[in-house]
Amino acid sequence: MKYISTGQKSQPLDLPQAMISSIADDGGLFMPEHLPAIPRAFFNNFGAMSFPEIAYVPASLLFSDDVQPGTLKRIAESSFDFPLPIRQLDHNLFVAELFHGPTLAVKDFSVRFMARMMGAMSAENPAAFGAAGKLHVLVATTGNTGSAIANGFARTPGVEVYILFPRGTAGRQLEAQFTTIGHNIHALEVHGTIDDCQAMVSQAFADTNLRSQVSLTSANSVNAVRVLAQSFMYFYIMSRVREMLAPGTPVSVAIPSGNLGNLTGALIAQKMGLDFDRIIAAENANCYLSRFMRSGTSTIPSRAIPTLAYAADKGSPTNLARVLHLTGNSVDGLRRAIDAVSVDDAAIIDAVNHSMANYGYIIDPHTALAYQAMRRSLQPGHAGVVLATAHPAKSLTAMTAITGKPMELPLQLTRFMDGTDMRQRIAPSYEALRRIILKNA
């Protein structure tokens, strides 16, 4: 399988090249040259399959040219070894709890799979990763992405991970999720801002001398493997929801949307044969996609507005190029494929309180985006699935303020607090980062 750029001007690449490059020469993002259709027999029987068994089917169609089938099965089994409960709140309303992984957020699904894919490919095809056969992953983060990537890549052979985070941005609880791991995870506290961190990462990718010595890649959602892996959970969710509904019931899904990675995953799953009725992109007040769909033209990227659903605070979503690619590169195609709903902070608070009052069920501010969007969009006779993308304890301050009640921290979060802090403190200087990378080459 070759990978093409959404910019349509770069040469197709094979999977290892696309995975390492992340962004194409023309500035586009990589996608498979085609998305294979899954046989109907799979959908007739997937209700009896486990998540790893379900994930293996689309994974084998996408990646078997580059990874051995036995290896892919082991990757699926080790990546998805935690539960994904489906809660039924009402006769036609369901919540898919995507926060039972090691860092209690949806990113655990795609990052763990991507990490194991990189480890397997570096072992099976070390020449693809340079003379040293080692891959160096660079990440700039204010917290949640860093914790998922650190835990996903921990002890992955042949991969070194550098997590740059600004001093004083993330709380101690969140920082502990990536500063206490060690081994191949290098937590670099930068005495600066997130912009400084991102600038240092950009300088590393632009440093041709450094890239001649080491193989660099990104682990955020611009990486093709990560966004493809985000499609797998939808097959499992629908396999379980279908078992609880009358045959033929139309099913919509509401997705908290910021950088549009999970939305891209839903569109990929749909292209491979999964039968959603509607895909609802639930945005916060930044609502870039909603404005784009109304106007039909790109809007000027702006600084993100801080909201209660902070992980979706994106001024300009990176994966819009992929969303357009999957919907025919036209605004009309986008409008046919997706409903975009914007939810402000007042509506987030209302959604949290409504869920508690009506169902005794606690949702976090990101899940509240999808919950509120589904309330506005669900039609009579249809069923809706709300994606719960983070545990409420991940938004501890906001949840305490909204509910007026203290929240107990789950074990996954508290266990990090007992670990040894192994962060390195560095100046906002690219040379400081460069020296650390070369030391671990």
Side-chain angles (χ1 to χ4, degrees):
M1 173 95 63
K2 291 290 186 181
Y3 285 74
I4 59 174
S5 169
T6 58
Q8 303 180 344
K9 295 178 182 177
S10 290
Q11 289 296 314
L13 300 180
D14 60 19
L15 178 59
Q17 292 172 314
M19 185 169 63
I20 293 170
S21 301
S22 291
I23 298 176
D25 291 340
D26 61 7
L29 302 181
F30 287 108
M31 286 289 288
E33 60 184 351
H34 71 277
L35 289 170
I38 296 176
R40 290 310 311 171
F42 166 76
F43 297 105
N44 293 335
N45 298 291
F46 67 170
M49 299 167 68
S50 68
F51 190 173
E53 290 170 338
I54 286 174
Y56 173 74
V57 174
S60 64
L61 292 173
L62 291 165
F63 303 127
S64 59
D65 290 346
D66 299 279
V67 181
Q68 295 295 321
T71 302
L72 269 178
K73 285 185 179 179
R74 289 192 294 273
I75 290 172
E77 288 167 356
S78 63
S79 299
F80 309 125
D81 60 354
F82 51 90
L84 197 174
I86 309 297
R87 309 294 185 195
Q88 186 168 8
L89 300 187
D90 211 335
H91 72 282
N92 65 342
L93 182 62
F94 303 83
V95 176
E97 293 186 350
L98 305 173
F99 52 72
H100 291 275
T103 70
L104 302 181
V106 64
K107 291 181 173 72
D108 287 326
F109 288 94
S110 58
V111 169
R112 284 163 66 87
F113 186 89
M114 177 181 63
R116 285 154 179 75
M117 279 282 288
M118 287 183 175
M121 294 178 72
S122 68
E124 293 185 2
N125 186 15
F129 296 89
K134 186 182 283 190
L135 191 59
H136 298 260
V137 178
L138 299 179
V139 181
T141 181
T142 54
N144 276 319
T145 299
S147 62
I149 289 171
N151 284 270
F153 280 92
R155 298 177 184 268
T156 300
V159 181
E160 301 287 335
V161 179
Y162 309 88
I163 298 177
L164 287 76
F165 63 102
R167 178 182 179 183
T169 300
R172 180 169 171 264
Q173 169 198 312
L174 187 53
E175 288 182 353
Q177 294 174 44
F178 50 86
T179 59
T180 61
I181 294 175
H183 302 286
N184 63 320
I185 306 299
H186 309 278
L188 309 178
E189 181 187 81
V190 177
H191 191 80
T193 67
I194 185 60
D195 292 332
D196 294 319
C197 297
Q198 291 169 338
M200 293 162 69
V201 169
S202 296
Q203 285 178 275
F205 282 113
D207 186 342
T208 54
N209 182 268
L210 177 66
R211 300 195 72 168
S212 70
Q213 300 176 68
V214 299
S215 292
L216 298 178
T217 192
S218 169
N220 63 22
S221 63
V222 300
N223 193 292
V225 172
R226 179 171 160 186
V227 78
L228 288 166
Q230 284 176 274
S231 70
F232 302 160
M233 62 189 185
Y234 291 100
F235 294 99
Y236 179 81
I237 291 167
M238 290 293 283
S239 77
R240 295 323 190 244
V241 170
R242 284 282 174 212
E243 293 291 303
M244 294 184 270
L245 292 171
T249 303
V251 180
S252 298
V253 61
I255 305 166
S257 299
N259 214 29
L260 308 186
N262 286 327
L263 180 64
T264 301
L267 290 168
I268 290 169
Q270 188 179 53
K271 288 287 185 181
M272 295 182 76
L274 199 59
D275 59 338
F276 296 120
D277 177 58
R278 296 300 298 168
I279 295 174
I280 304 165
E283 300 183 284
N284 61 23
N286 288 281
C287 61
Y288 186 99
L289 184 62
S290 299
R291 288 184 282 116
F292 178 81
M293 291 174 68
R294 282 197 303 270
S295 67
T297 59
S298 297
T299 57
I300 298 173
S302 58
R303 183 177 293 275
I305 303 166
T307 75
L308 293 171
Y310 59 90
D313 291 346
K314 305 294 179 185
S316 180
T318 305
N319 280 294
L320 179 61
R322 284 190 172 118
V323 170
L324 287 169
H325 174 84
L326 289 162
T327 56
N329 284 310
S330 74
V331 177
D332 286 341
L334 186 62
R335 290 168 178 156
R336 286 192 296 270
I338 295 167
D339 294 333
V341 178
S342 177
V343 179
D344 62 18
D345 276 1
I348 288 174
I349 294 169
D350 175 68
V352 173
N353 290 325
H354 184 276
S355 180
M356 288 179 61
N358 287 269
Y359 305 113
Y361 187 75
I362 301 174
I363 58 177
D364 85 303
H366 302 87
T367 306
L369 297 176
Y371 181 91
Q372 192 71 281
M374 186 62 77
R375 286 179 66 198
R376 297 177 186 175
S377 304
L378 189 58
Q379 300 176 24
H382 292 220
V385 181
V386 170
L387 294 197
T389 51
H391 191 285
K394 297 281 280 190
S395 299
L396 196 59
T397 302
M399 290 302 298
T400 302
I402 294 170
T403 65
K405 300 176 182 178
M407 184 160 294
E408 185 177 345
L409 291 180
L411 179 62
Q412 289 101 313
L413 296 184
T414 57
R415 69 181 177 85
F416 291 108
M417 303 297 287
D418 296 328
T420 301
D421 193 316
M422 289 177 277
R423 77 183 73 197
Q424 300 177 64
R425 294 179 171 88
I426 62 174
S429 158
Y430 169 59
E431 284 304 316
L433 173 62
R434 193 176 193 276
R435 284 193 297 270
I436 292 170
I437 294 172
L438 290 174
K439 181 180 178 181
N440 293 285

Coordinates of all heavy atoms in Angstrom, one line a residue, residues 76-145:
A76 N -2.3 -5.7 18.0 CA -3.7 -5.4 18.4 C -3.9 -5.9 19.8 O -4.6 -5.2 20.6 CB -4.6 -6.1 17.4
E77 N -3.5 -7.1 20.2 CA -3.7 -7.7 21.5 C -3.1 -6.9 22.6 O -3.7 -6.6 23.7 CB -3.2 -9.1 21.5 CG -4.1 -10.1 20.7 CD -3.4 -11.4 20.5 OE1 -2.3 -11.6 21.0 OE2 -4.1 -12.3 19.9
S78 N -1.9 -6.4 22.4 CA -1.2 -5.6 23.4 C -1.6 -4.2 23.5 O -1.5 -3.5 24.5 CB 0.3 -5.7 23.3 OG 0.8 -5.1 22.0
S79 N -2.1 -3.6 22.4 CA -2.5 -2.2 22.3 C -3.9 -2.0 23.0 O -4.1 -1.0 23.7 CB -2.6 -1.7 20.9 OG -1.4 -1.8 20.2
F80 N -4.8 -3.0 22.8 CA -6.1 -2.8 23.2 C -6.5 -3.9 24.3 O -7.4 -4.7 24.2 CB -7.1 -3.0 22.0 CG -6.7 -2.1 20.9 CD1 -6.5 -2.6 19.6 CD2 -6.5 -0.7 21.0 CE1 -6.2 -1.8 18.5 CE2 -6.2 0.1 20.0 CZ -6.0 -0.5 18.7
D81 N -5.7 -3.8 25.4 CA -5.8 -4.8 26.5 C -6.6 -4.2 27.7 O -6.4 -4.6 28.8 CB -4.5 -5.3 26.9 CG -3.5 -4.2 27.4 OD1 -3.9 -3.0 27.3 OD2 -2.4 -4.6 27.9
F82 N -7.4 -3.1 27.4 CA -8.2 -2.5 28.5 C -9.6 -2.4 27.9 O -9.9 -2.5 26.7 CB -7.6 -1.1 28.8 CG -7.4 -0.2 27.7 CD1 -8.4 0.7 27.2 CD2 -6.1 -0.2 27.0 CE1 -8.2 1.5 26.2 CE2 -5.9 0.7 26.0 CZ -6.9 1.5 25.5
P83 N -10.6 -2.3 28.8 CA -12.0 -2.3 28.4 C -12.5 -1.1 27.7 O -11.9 0.0 27.9 CB -12.7 -2.5 29.7 CG -11.8 -2.0 30.8 CD -10.4 -2.2 30.3
L84 N -13.5 -1.2 26.9 CA -14.2 -0.1 26.3 C -15.7 -0.3 26.6 O -16.4 -0.9 25.7 CB -13.9 0.0 24.8 CG -14.2 1.3 24.0 CD1 -13.8 1.2 22.6 CD2 -15.7 1.6 24.1
P85 N -16.2 0.1 27.7 CA -17.6 -0.2 28.1 C -18.6 0.7 27.3 O -18.2 1.9 27.0 CB -17.7 0.2 29.6 CG -16.3 0.2 30.0 CD -15.5 0.6 28.9
I86 N -19.7 0.2 26.9 CA -20.8 1.0 26.3 C -21.9 1.1 27.3 O -22.5 0.1 27.7 CB -21.3 0.3 25.0 CG1 -20.2 -0.1 24.1 CG2 -22.3 1.2 24.3 CD1 -19.4 1.1 23.6
R87 N -22.2 2.3 27.8 CA -23.3 2.6 28.7 C -24.5 3.0 28.0 O -24.5 3.9 27.2 CB -22.8 3.7 29.7 CG -21.5 3.5 30.4 CD -21.4 2.3 31.3 NE -20.2 2.2 32.0 CZ -19.7 1.1 32.6 NH1 -20.5 0.1 32.7 NH2 -18.6 1.1 33.2
Q88 N -25.6 2.3 28.4 CA -26.9 2.7 27.8 C -27.6 3.6 28.8 O -28.1 3.2 29.9 CB -27.8 1.5 27.5 CG -29.1 1.8 26.8 CD -29.8 0.6 26.3 OE1 -29.4 -0.5 26.5 NE2 -30.9 0.8 25.5
L89 N -27.8 4.9 28.4 CA -28.4 5.9 29.3 C -29.9 5.9 29.1 O -30.6 6.2 30.1 CB -27.8 7.3 29.0 CG -26.3 7.5 29.2 CD1 -26.0 9.0 29.1 CD2 -25.9 7.0 30.6
D90 N -30.4 5.7 27.9 CA -31.8 5.7 27.6 C -32.0 4.6 26.5 O -31.0 4.0 26.0 CB -32.2 7.1 27.1 CG -33.6 7.4 27.5 OD1 -34.4 6.5 27.6 OD2 -34.0 8.6 27.6
H91 N -33.3 4.4 26.1 CA -33.5 3.4 25.1 C -32.8 3.6 23.8 O -32.5 2.7 23.1 CB -35.0 3.3 24.9 CG -35.6 4.4 24.1 ND1 -35.9 5.7 24.7 CD2 -36.0 4.5 22.8 CE1 -36.4 6.5 23.8 NE2 -36.4 5.8 22.6
N92 N -32.5 4.9 23.5 CA -31.8 5.2 22.3 C -30.5 6.1 22.4 O -30.0 6.6 21.5 CB -32.8 6.0 21.3 CG -33.2 7.3 21.9 OD1 -33.0 7.6 23.1 ND2 -33.7 8.2 21.0
L93 N -30.0 6.1 23.6 CA -28.8 7.0 23.9 C -27.8 6.1 24.6 O -28.0 5.6 25.7 CB -29.2 8.2 24.7 CG -28.1 9.2 25.0 CD1 -27.5 9.8 23.8 CD2 -28.6 10.3 26.0
F94 N -26.6 6.1 24.0 CA -25.5 5.3 24.5 C -24.2 6.2 24.7 O -24.1 7.2 24.0 CB -25.1 4.2 23.6 CG -26.3 3.3 23.3 CD1 -27.2 3.6 22.3 CD2 -26.4 2.1 24.0 CE1 -28.3 2.7 22.0 CE2 -27.5 1.2 23.7 CZ -28.4 1.6 22.7
V95 N -23.4 5.8 25.6 CA -22.1 6.5 25.8 C -21.0 5.4 25.7 O -21.0 4.4 26.3 CB -22.0 7.1 27.2 CG1 -20.6 7.7 27.4 CG2 -23.0 8.2 27.3
A96 N -20.0 5.7 24.8 CA -18.8 4.8 24.6 C -17.7 5.4 25.5 O -17.2 6.5 25.2 CB -18.4 4.7 23.2
E97 N -17.3 4.7 26.6 CA -16.3 5.2 27.5 C -14.9 4.8 27.0 O -14.5 3.7 27.1 CB -16.5 4.5 28.9 CG -17.8 5.0 29.5 CD -18.0 4.5 31.0 OE1 -17.2 3.6 31.4 OE2 -18.9 5.0 31.7
L98 N -14.3 5.8 26.4 CA -13.0 5.7 25.8 C -11.8 6.0 26.8 O -10.7 6.3 26.3 CB -12.9 6.5 24.5 CG -14.0 6.3 23.5 CD1 -14.0 7.3 22.4 CD2 -13.9 4.9 23.0
F99 N -12.1 6.0 28.1 CA -11.1 6.5 29.0 C -10.6 5.5 30.0 O -10.3 5.8 31.1 CB -11.7 7.7 29.8 CG -13.0 7.5 30.4 CD1 -13.2 6.7 31.5 CD2 -14.2 8.1 29.9 CE1 -14.4 6.5 32.1 CE2 -15.4 7.9 30.4 CZ -15.6 7.1 31.6
H100 N -10.6 4.2 29.6 CA -10.2 3.2 30.6 C -8.7 2.7 30.3 O -8.3 1.7 30.8 CB -11.1 2.0 30.5 CG -12.5 2.3 31.1 ND1 -12.7 2.3 32.4 CD2 -13.6 2.8 30.5 CE1 -14.0 2.6 32.7 NE2 -14.5 3.0 31.5
G101 N -8.0 3.4 29.4 CA -6.6 3.1 29.2 C -5.7 3.7 30.3 O -6.2 4.3 31.3
P102 N -4.4 3.5 30.1 CA -3.5 3.9 31.2 C -3.5 5.4 31.6 O -3.1 5.8 32.7 CB -2.1 3.5 30.7 CG -2.3 3.3 29.2 CD -3.7 2.9 29.0
T103 N -3.8 6.3 30.6 CA -3.9 7.7 30.9 C -5.3 8.3 30.9 O -5.5 9.5 30.9 CB -3.0 8.5 30.0 OG1 -3.5 8.5 28.7 CG2 -1.5 7.9 29.9
L104 N -6.3 7.4 30.9 CA -7.7 7.8 31.0 C -8.2 8.7 29.9 O -9.0 9.6 30.2 CB -7.9 8.4 32.4 CG -7.6 7.6 33.6 CD1 -7.9 8.3 34.9 CD2 -8.3 6.2 33.6
A105 N -7.7 8.6 28.7 CA -8.1 9.4 27.6 C -8.1 8.6 26.3 O -7.4 7.6 26.2 CB -7.2 10.7 27.5
V106 N -8.9 9.1 25.3 CA -9.0 8.4 24.1 C -7.7 8.2 23.3 O -7.6 7.3 22.5 CB -10.1 9.1 23.2 CG1 -9.6 10.5 22.8 CG2 -10.4 8.3 21.9
K107 N -6.8 9.1 23.5 CA -5.5 9.0 22.8 C -4.8 7.7 23.1 O -3.9 7.3 22.3 CB -4.6 10.2 23.2 CG -5.0 11.5 22.7 CD -4.0 12.6 23.1 CE -4.4 14.0 22.5 NZ -5.6 14.6 23.1
D108 N -5.1 7.0 24.2 CA -4.4 5.7 24.5 C -4.6 4.7 23.4 O -3.8 3.9 23.1 CB -5.0 5.2 25.8 CG -4.5 5.9 27.0 OD1 -3.3 6.4 27.0 OD2 -5.2 6.0 28.0
F109 N -5.8 4.7 22.7 CA -6.1 3.8 21.7 C -5.1 3.9 20.5 O -4.4 2.9 20.2 CB -7.5 3.9 21.2 CG -8.6 3.5 22.1 CD1 -9.2 4.4 23.0 CD2 -9.0 2.1 22.2 CE1 -10.1 3.9 23.9 CE2 -9.9 1.7 23.1 CZ -10.5 2.6 23.9
S110 N -5.0 5.0 19.9 CA -4.2 5.2 18.7 C -2.8 5.3 19.0 O -1.9 4.8 18.2 CB -4.7 6.5 18.0 OG -4.6 7.6 18.8
V111 N -2.4 5.9 20.1 CA -0.9 6.0 20.4 C -0.3 4.7 20.8 O 0.8 4.4 20.3 CB -0.7 7.0 21.6 CG1 0.7 7.0 22.1 CG2 -1.1 8.4 21.2
R112 N -1.0 3.8 21.5 CA -0.4 2.5 21.8 C -0.2 1.7 20.6 O 0.8 1.0 20.4 CB -1.3 1.8 22.8 CG -1.2 2.4 24.3 CD -2.4 1.9 25.1 NE -2.4 0.5 25.4 CZ -1.8 -0.1 26.3 NH1 -1.0 0.5 27.2 NH2 -1.9 -1.4 26.5
F113 N -1.2 1.7 19.7 CA -1.1 1.0 18.4 C 0.1 1.5 17.6 O 0.9 0.8 17.1 CB -2.4 1.0 17.7 CG -2.4 0.2 16.4 CD1 -2.8 -1.2 16.5 CD2 -2.0 0.7 15.2 CE1 -2.7 -2.0 15.4 CE2 -1.9 -0.1 14.1 CZ -2.3 -1.5 14.2
M114 N 0.1 2.8 17.5 CA 1.2 3.5 16.7 C 2.6 3.1 17.2 O 3.5 2.8 16.5 CB 1.0 5.0 16.6 CG 2.1 5.7 15.9 SD 1.8 7.5 15.9 CE 1.9 7.9 17.6
A115 N 2.7 3.2 18.6 CA 4.0 2.9 19.2 C 4.4 1.5 18.9 O 5.6 1.2 18.6 CB 3.9 3.1 20.7
R116 N 3.5 0.5 19.0 CA 3.9 -0.8 18.8 C 4.2 -1.1 17.3 O 5.0 -1.9 17.0 CB 2.8 -1.8 19.3 CG 2.8 -1.8 20.8 CD 1.5 -2.2 21.5 NE 1.5 -2.3 22.9 CZ 1.6 -1.2 23.7 NH1 1.7 0.0 23.2 NH2 1.7 -1.4 25.0
M117 N 3.5 -0.4 16.4 CA 3.8 -0.5 15.0 C 5.2 0.0 14.7 O 6.0 -0.6 14.0 CB 2.8 0.3 14.2 CG 1.5 -0.4 14.0 SD 1.5 -1.6 12.7 CE 1.6 -0.6 11.2
M118 N 5.5 1.1 15.3 CA 6.9 1.7 15.1 C 8.0 0.7 15.6 O 9.0 0.5 15.0 CB 7.0 3.0 15.7 CG 6.3 4.2 15.0 SD 6.6 5.8 15.8 CE 5.7 6.9 14.7
G119 N 7.7 0.2 16.8 CA 8.7 -0.8 17.4 C 8.8 -2.0 16.5 O 9.9 -2.5 16.3
A120 N 7.7 -2.6 16.0 CA 7.7 -3.8 15.2 C 8.4 -3.5 13.9 O 9.3 -4.3 13.4 CB 6.3 -4.3 14.9
M121 N 8.2 -2.4 13.3 CA 8.8 -2.0 12.0 C 10.3 -1.7 12.1 O 11.0 -2.1 11.2 CB 8.0 -0.9 11.3 CG 6.6 -1.3 10.9 SD 5.6 0.0 10.2 CE 6.4 0.2 8.6
S122 N 10.7 -1.1 13.2 CA 12.1 -0.9 13.4 C 12.8 -2.2 13.6 O 14.0 -2.3 13.2 CB 12.3 0.0 14.6 OG 12.0 -0.6 15.8
A123 N 12.1 -3.2 14.2 CA 12.7 -4.5 14.4 C 12.8 -5.3 13.1 O 13.8 -6.0 12.7 CB 12.0 -5.3 15.4
E124 N 11.7 -5.3 12.3 CA 11.6 -6.1 11.1 C 12.3 -5.4 9.9 O 12.8 -6.1 9.0 CB 10.1 -6.3 10.7 CG 9.4 -7.2 11.7 CD 8.0 -7.5 11.3 OE1 7.6 -7.0 10.2 OE2 7.2 -8.2 12.0
N125 N 12.4 -4.1 9.9 CA 13.0 -3.4 8.8 C 13.9 -2.2 9.3 O 13.5 -1.1 9.1 CB 11.9 -2.9 7.9 CG 12.5 -2.2 6.6 OD1 13.6 -2.4 6.3 ND2 11.6 -1.5 5.9
P126 N 15.0 -2.5 10.0 CA 15.8 -1.5 10.7 C 16.3 -0.5 9.7 O 16.6 0.7 10.0 CB 16.9 -2.2 11.4 CG 16.9 -3.6 10.8 CD 15.5 -3.9 10.3
A127 N 16.6 -0.9 8.4 CA 17.2 0.0 7.4 C 16.3 1.2 7.1 O 16.7 2.3 6.8 CB 17.4 -0.8 6.1
A128 N 15.0 1.0 7.4 CA 14.0 2.1 7.1 C 14.2 3.2 8.1 O 13.7 4.3 7.9 CB 12.6 1.6 7.1
F129 N 14.9 2.9 9.2 CA 15.0 3.9 10.3 C 16.4 4.5 10.4 O 16.8 5.0 11.4 CB 14.6 3.3 11.6 CG 13.1 2.9 11.7 CD1 12.7 1.7 11.2 CD2 12.2 3.8 12.1 CE1 11.4 1.4 11.2 CE2 10.8 3.5 12.1 CZ 10.4 2.3 11.7
G130 N 17.2 4.4 9.3 CA 18.5 4.9 9.3 C 19.6 3.9 9.8 O 19.3 2.8 10.2
A131 N 20.8 4.4 9.7 CA 21.9 3.5 10.0 C 21.9 2.9 11.4 O 22.3 1.8 11.6 CB 23.3 4.3 9.8
A132 N 21.4 3.7 12.3 CA 21.4 3.2 13.7 C 20.2 2.3 14.0 O 20.1 1.7 15.0 CB 21.4 4.4 14.7
G133 N 19.2 2.3 13.0 CA 18.0 1.5 13.2 C 17.2 2.0 14.4 O 16.4 1.2 15.0
K134 N 17.2 3.2 14.7 CA 16.5 3.8 15.8 C 15.7 5.0 15.4 O 16.1 5.8 14.5 CB 17.5 4.2 16.9 CG 16.8 4.7 18.2 CD 17.9 5.1 19.2 CE 18.6 4.0 19.9 NZ 19.4 4.4 21.0
L135 N 14.5 5.1 16.0 CA 13.6 6.2 15.6 C 13.5 7.2 16.8 O 13.4 6.7 17.9 CB 12.2 5.7 15.3 CG 11.2 6.6 14.6 CD1 11.7 7.2 13.3 CD2 9.9 5.8 14.4
H136 N 13.5 8.5 16.5 CA 13.5 9.5 17.5 C 12.2 10.3 17.4 O 11.9 10.9 16.3 CB 14.7 10.5 17.4 CG 16.0 9.7 17.7 ND1 16.6 9.8 18.9 CD2 16.7 9.0 16.8 CE1 17.8 9.1 18.8 NE2 17.8 8.6 17.6
V137 N 11.3 10.2 18.4 CA 10.0 10.8 18.3 C 10.0 12.1 19.1 O 10.4 12.2 20.3 CB 8.9 9.9 18.9 CG1 7.5 10.5 18.9 CG2 8.9 8.6 18.1
L138 N 9.5 13.2 18.5 CA 9.5 14.6 19.1 C 8.1 15.0 19.3 O 7.2 14.9 18.4 CB 10.2 15.6 18.2 CG 11.7 15.4 17.9 CD1 12.2 16.5 17.0 CD2 12.5 15.3 19.2
V139 N 7.8 15.5 20.6 CA 6.4 15.9 20.9 C 6.5 17.2 21.7 O 7.3 17.2 22.7 CB 5.7 14.8 21.8 CG1 4.3 15.2 22.1 CG2 5.7 13.5 21.1
A140 N 5.7 18.2 21.3 CA 5.5 19.4 22.1 C 4.1 19.3 22.7 O 3.2 19.1 22.0 CB 5.7 20.6 21.3
T141 N 4.0 19.5 24.0 CA 2.7 19.3 24.6 C 2.5 20.2 25.9 O 3.5 20.6 26.5 CB 2.5 17.8 25.1 OG1 1.3 17.6 25.6 CG2 3.6 17.4 26.1
T142 N 1.3 20.4 26.2 CA 1.0 21.0 27.5 C 0.4 20.0 28.5 O 0.0 20.4 29.6 CB -0.1 22.2 27.3 OG1 -1.2 21.6 26.7 CG2 0.5 23.3 26.5
G143 N 0.4 18.7 28.1 CA 0.0 17.7 29.1 C -0.5 16.4 28.6 O 0.1 15.4 28.5
N144 N -1.8 16.4 28.1 CA -2.5 15.2 27.8 C -1.9 14.3 26.7 O -1.8 13.1 26.8 CB -4.0 15.5 27.5 CG -4.9 15.6 28.7 OD1 -4.7 14.9 29.6 ND2 -5.7 16.6 28.7
T145 N -1.5 15.0 25.6 CA -0.8 14.2 24.6 C 0.5 13.6 25.1 O 0.8 12.5 24.7 CB -0.6 15.2 23.4 OG1 -1.8 15.7 22.9 CG2 0.2 14.4 22.2

